Amino acid sequence: MSEQFVQGETIAAIATAVVPQQGSVGIVRVSGENALEIARQLFHAPGRQLWQTHRILYGYVRHPQTQQIVDEALLLIMQSPRSYTREDVVEFHCHGGIMPVQQVLQLCLELGARLAQPGEFTLRAFLNGRLDLTQAESIADLVGSRSPAAAQAALAGIQGKLAVPIRQLRATCLDSLAEIEARIDFEEDLPPLDEAGIIAQLQQVLTNIKQILATADRGQLLRTGLNIAIVGRPNVGKSSLLNAWSRSDRAIVTDLPGTTRDVVESQLVVGGIPIQVLDTAGIRETVDQVEKIGVERSRRAAEAADLIVLVIEATAGWSSDDQEIYTQVKHRPLILVINKTDLAPADSVSYPDSIDRVITAAVTKNEGIEALEQGILEAVQTGTLHAADLDLAINQRQAAALTQAKIALEQVQETIAQQLPLDFWTIDLRGAIQALGEITGEEVTESVLDRIFSRFCIGK
């Protein structure tokens, strides 16, 4: 994609979702050296409205040849460099729906604009120095955020809370490299290298890198969410738990065992983490072919889940069927929910000592839901679903580059410990500098840019 970027070339795209009979406003965005000229040919602003930057004009979009009115609209003007792309940008704010924005876009293309590639507006913002690479990725994360916490983490990235420390770490490495190379080139003219100081600097950089790397799990959770499977015997209250938890009637609830025949999904947010809850069919041996398919799907859902919620009932206690189900899922992070405690005491129920996270509930009375959510957050923070409680939340690409920098710095430490010549110190130190530069975009290849910006929508 970056190879297609031509300085001054004008691009256009629809910048809002286009849904039939939905949406009050649709925006067509145009960026490049001919953006203003295209706007002047298409937009008629009655009266004495001033065509000035960062002003909104009211008027009509007209066909340049026939002068037929295409839409009543607003025109927003943002001249270079005070725009998103640091190029001249105009936006036609049309009526929502399909036809108005598509007709306006088609007219822009007929007047010489090219249809933008996915993410090309943000790519231009990066290439023109408006954003660094971490900010560009955070914009994509903000657009796709599924919870308030994910949105806040993305906003932190846009504000530079990742870029600033990464640049500082890279600057420290560059300073150390300059000190070392100066001793190699001008050894007789300079005082001896402060090896202890260099070692301390690099150790501090390594420590900070490890701290930032610890946010990778949190970033993954905020972006992709958590898959939770509710499993158990038939009629223990799995569907009732889903309904009470989601405050809806997503699952059919009856007194007949085996009512749920397929996996029922619900989207929730717990502690800022988006969660997909799967209510599975009761797991048991059955001759009913439809229920058998549902049971098999339940087993697959449990196998793929990040966390298992195993539901049993206080009235029946821990049965051999519960034990069989537990044997199938005990290798996954697990929370045991003892349901129907309004009908029987939970302390009379015995369960395997290996289960260390137990919640009591009476879901038909909405009791135990808050305790379950707290148990999930504890599993996220302290268990195998660990996520660092930090403001940053790096993505997979950033984590890979930080890991490369970490390995390179550890190799520098090993080189120093082996008392090898200074030339050897610089090899891996340069590798760490390059890896850190890849995060913010100081050192980045076109293939990396293509991979990043291809995830964007066309109008962004």
Side-chain angles (χ1 to χ4, degrees):
M1 181 201 305
S2 54
E3 294 177 348
Q4 300 177 11
F5 175 77
V6 178
Q7 187 69 31
E9 187 180 34
T10 303
I11 57 173
I14 298 172
T16 49
V18 178
V19 182
Q21 299 179 337
Q22 300 291 325
S24 58
V25 177
I27 297 175
V28 176
R29 178 176 294 151
V30 186
S31 178
E33 64 180 17
N34 293 327
L36 275 173
E37 179 59 28
I38 290 173
R40 287 187 180 277
Q41 292 187 57
L42 293 181
F43 195 81
H44 171 67
R48 298 183 178 180
Q49 301 179 65
L50 299 178
W51 285 66
Q52 295 178 346
T53 186
H54 292 79
R55 292 182 69 94
I56 296 178
L57 306 181
Y58 161 78
Y60 302 92
V61 178
R62 289 179 170 176
H63 193 286
Q65 277 77 47
T66 66
Q67 295 301 303
Q68 180 180 355
I69 294 177
V70 175
D71 194 17
E72 181 185 27
L74 299 176
L75 180 71
L76 174 60
I77 303 171
M78 294 168 284
Q79 288 183 272
S80 171
R82 296 171 56 204
S83 72
Y84 182 68
T85 60
R86 282 194 173 167
E87 301 172 335
D88 287 345
V89 173
V90 296
E91 290 182 352
F92 297 89
H93 291 231
C94 312
H95 286 93
I98 293 180
M99 292 311 302
V101 290
Q102 287 190 340
Q103 289 184 85
V104 172
L105 174 62
Q106 183 59 39
L107 290 176
C108 292
L109 300 180
E110 290 177 2
L111 290 176
R114 170 176 62 77
L115 185 64
Q117 298 293 317
E120 190 170 357
F121 290 97
T122 304
L123 173 62
R124 290 185 174 213
F126 165 70
L127 294 176
N128 290 328
R130 171 71 170 77
L131 305 167
D132 67 40
L133 211 49
T134 65
Q135 292 172 311
E137 289 177 298
S138 295
I139 288 171
D141 290 338
L142 181 60
V143 172
S145 59
R146 297 166 55 195
S147 70
Q152 286 300 313
L155 284 170
I158 293 173
Q159 293 166 359
K161 291 189 177 180
L162 175 59
V164 170
I166 293 297
R167 286 199 185 98
Q168 290 173 343
L169 296 177
R170 188 168 183 267
T172 300
C173 291
L174 283 168
D175 290 343
S176 297
L177 180 63
E179 287 288 323
I180 296 169
E181 289 186 331
R183 296 318 187 279
I184 295 173
D185 296 333
F186 309 103
E187 182 178 7
E188 297 178 356
D189 302 325
L190 294 173
L193 179 68
D194 181 9
E195 292 190 14
I198 295 294
I199 292 171
Q201 281 184 335
L202 297 183
Q203 179 57 51
Q204 186 59 53
V205 170
L206 188 57
T207 299
N208 292 341
I209 286 176
K210 291 177 179 178
Q211 290 175 345
I212 299 174
L213 268 173
T215 71
D217 288 343
R218 178 174 185 261
Q220 185 71 9
L221 279 175
L222 292 177
R223 291 179 183 90
T224 64
L226 195 65
N227 288 326
I228 296 179
I230 304 175
V231 302
R233 293 184 291 106
N235 212 35
V236 293
K238 300 185 300 301
S239 297
S240 296
L241 172 58
L242 176 66
N243 290 342
W245 196 0
S246 62
R247 297 177 178 84
S248 69
D249 295 324
R250 296 295 302 275
I252 299 173
V253 178
T254 72
D255 292 332
L256 299 174
T259 301
T260 301
R261 298 299 184 96
D262 204 349
V263 176
V264 180
E265 300 181 7
S266 187
Q267 305 292 332
L268 303 172
V269 176
V270 175
I273 300 172
I275 290 179
Q276 182 182 45
V277 183
L278 308 176
D279 171 29
T280 65
I283 297 176
R284 65 172 178 176
E285 295 299 325
T286 177
V287 295
D288 186 305
Q289 289 300 314
V290 176
E291 187 179 357
K292 185 178 294 186
I293 294 172
V295 170
E296 181 57 34
R297 290 183 178 180
S298 297
R299 290 194 173 102
R300 291 201 300 267
E303 186 64 31
D306 301 305
L307 178 67
I308 301 294
V309 174
L310 173 59
V311 182
I312 66 172
E313 51 184 347
T315 51
W318 184 269
S319 68
S320 58
D321 291 336
D322 295 322
Q323 180 63 43
E324 183 178 348
I325 296 170
Y326 174 63
T327 301
Q328 297 175 27
V329 300
K330 65 180 181 180
H331 62 288
R332 312 294 297 167
L334 182 142
I335 296 176
L336 176 64
V337 174
I338 303 176
N339 188 29
K340 303 184 182 181
T341 55
D342 54 324
L343 302 178
D347 53 13
S348 63
V349 178
S350 59
Y351 49 83
D353 294 337
S354 55
I355 301 177
D356 57 3
R357 198 166 274 112
V358 181
I359 305 297
T360 59
V363 296
T364 58
K365 299 182 180 300
N366 290 320
E367 297 176 4
I369 303 300
E370 290 185 6
L372 175 59
E373 291 186 347
Q374 185 59 40
I376 291 170
L377 294 177
E378 289 175 359
V380 168
Q381 292 296 332
T382 62
T384 56
L385 303 172
H386 175 72
D389 187 18
L390 297 174
D391 198 17
L392 301 177
I394 62 174
N395 61 31
Q396 192 173 31
R397 183 194 72 86
Q398 295 160 355
L402 279 170
T403 300
Q404 289 179 355
K406 169 180 167 289
I407 293 172
L409 289 173
E410 289 173 341
Q411 188 58 47
V412 174
Q413 290 181 329
E414 181 65 22
T415 299
I416 295 172
Q418 294 178 5
Q419 298 182 335
L420 295 176
L422 294 181
D423 303 70
F424 289 86
W425 298 24
T426 64
I427 297 173
D428 292 300
L429 189 51
R430 286 197 188 94
I433 291 169
Q434 180 175 347
L436 292 171
E438 289 175 358
I439 297 173
T440 53
E442 278 91 349
E443 300 188 41
V444 66
T445 63
E446 289 186 354
S447 62
V448 171
L449 293 180
D450 290 345
R451 192 162 61 249
I452 291 172
F453 289 100
S454 63
R455 299 187 298 114
F456 284 63
C457 59
I458 289 179
K460 200 65 178 174

